[in-house]
Amino acid sequence: MNFVELQARDPNADLAHYFDVIGGTSTGGLITAMLATPSPHDPTRAAFTPAQIVDFYKLNGPHIFNSSRYNHNINIIFSKHHQY
């Protein structure tokens, strides 16, 4: 079962509720940190939603990563997930 299916069953599903360890390198590490960091308002929830992560990348990605490589990667990563 993937996360989309889990969210269909439970709209309040967070990755942290289903995995003991998640990790990544480079952009995967940033996404992991954003999904695994607890919300200061509700520690049982993630601090960032997938939509907020997409917005973060669109706003900050060109400043964090090489812009030509970023533009190529961002189109690949988020083009299939435009519903966020």
Side-chain angles (χ1 to χ4, degrees), residues 27-66:
T27 195
L30 291 172
I31 292 170
T32 296
M34 295 175 86
L35 290 171
T37 300
S39 168
H41 307 292
D42 180 357
T44 66
R45 307 290 304 160
F48 300 93
T49 65
Q52 289 171 316
I53 294 170
V54 169
D55 290 342
F56 170 84
Y57 269 86
K58 287 179 179 178
L59 179 66
N60 298 296
H63 305 290
I64 297 170
F65 303 102
N66 172 300

